[in-house]
Amino acid sequence: MTPFTRLDGTAAPLMDKGKPMSNVDTDMIIPKQFLKTTERTGLAKGLFYELKTRPDGSEDPNFVLNRPQYAKASILIAGENFGCGSSREHAPWALADQGITCIIAPSFADIFHNNCYKNGILPVRLPAEVCEKLVAEAGGPNHVFSVDLQAQTVTTPSGEVHRFDIDPGRKSNLIAGLDEIGASLTAASEIDRFEDQRRLSTPWLERAR
């Protein structure tokens, strides 16, 4: 994975009736017809397909990611319970393929939250009232926010700073660009040493394999 240290990027406000959109489920993030592939690339075309596409298949210019100023957004701001629904890992794959590497919301569904870390996406939890302010500011003339993982802060275009919490282990892995397998492989020499010692101390287990 690409190491995540500091992100200065356009923030797209995902809104519904003027408020951060809540209960965005994984089927909304990427509908089932796009789940036939196991490749992580090319999925951006299905991202928010039913929101960004009209019934005739044309783009809806009112959807936030279809607007020119948000087309290259790397930060998404939403409401409560983002990523609920089925556990499809295609959801973070599609977001990453679009270029979204940070999602800010008051809460996330657990499986989606875990899958984000496995795919180099930083999920930031901030209070609902703060997310409402961020959505309003992202909808203004300046859309560039700064997310500093080392300092654990989100800085808005107006200069407001909001601190977020993150598990230290997950923080270290994101900064190093490691998923769970990559993190395990950093201890490869210790694993090999353990295997060598086990073979010497319990040789009968080797014969049974």
Side-chain angles (χ1 to χ4, degrees):
M1 300 189 307
T2 302
F4 190 117
T5 51
R6 178 188 172 98
L7 171 62
D8 297 304
T10 296
L14 193 59
M15 300 174 65
D16 180 32
K17 299 177 182 177
K19 297 247 182 180
M21 188 179 290
S22 297
N23 300 312
V24 176
D25 64 28
T26 52
D27 189 57
M28 189 182 296
I29 296 171
I30 185 162
K32 59 185 179 298
Q33 64 265 34
F34 296 99
L35 306 185
K36 298 174 183 178
T37 179
T38 56
E39 299 293 328
R40 301 189 185 197
T41 57
L43 290 172
K45 65 182 179 182
L47 180 67
F48 296 120
Y49 186 79
E50 294 177 3
L51 292 176
K52 71 181 181 184
T53 309
R54 291 168 167 166
D56 64 1
S58 62
E59 283 191 351
D60 183 348
N62 294 315
F63 181 65
V64 62
L65 294 179
N66 288 341
R67 300 175 195 166
Q69 63 268 41
Y70 300 110
K72 295 184 179 180
S74 54
I75 302 167
L76 191 67
I77 309 172
E80 299 272 2
N81 200 27
F82 191 90
C84 56
S86 70
S87 60
R88 64 191 70 172
E89 197 167 359
H90 290 70
W93 290 356
L95 287 160
D97 195 45
Q98 176 71 24
I100 303 292
T101 53
C102 177
I103 305 167
I104 303 172
S107 60
F108 297 87
D110 285 344
I111 294 176
F112 176 83
H113 185 258
N114 292 334
N115 282 340
C116 281
Y117 289 109
K118 296 175 182 179
N119 291 281
I121 297 173
L122 172 63
V124 172
R125 291 190 181 106
L126 289 175
E129 60 273 17
V130 172
C131 288
E132 288 191 22
K133 291 175 64 177
L134 298 187
V135 158
E137 193 160 350
N142 189 344
H143 324 293
V144 178
F145 285 60
S146 295
V147 182
D148 189 326
L149 179 54
Q150 191 67 57
Q152 296 178 211
T153 58
V154 174
T155 304
T156 71
S158 65
E160 285 192 7
V161 179
H162 303 278
R163 181 174 172 79
F164 61 89
D165 294 324
I166 183 172
D167 175 81
R170 284 176 161 168
K171 176 180 177 178
S172 296
N173 286 348
L174 278 176
I175 290 173
L178 298 173
D179 59 12
E180 292 170 338
I181 294 173
S184 297
L185 291 177
T186 62
S189 59
E190 288 85 352
I191 294 171
D192 289 342
R193 186 159 50 249
F194 171 82
E195 290 291 323
D196 290 341
Q197 291 172 346
R198 184 186 60 78
R199 277 191 287 269
L200 291 173
S201 61
T202 56
W204 58 89
L205 291 178
E206 290 299 306
R207 290 194 294 269
R209 291 173 66 179

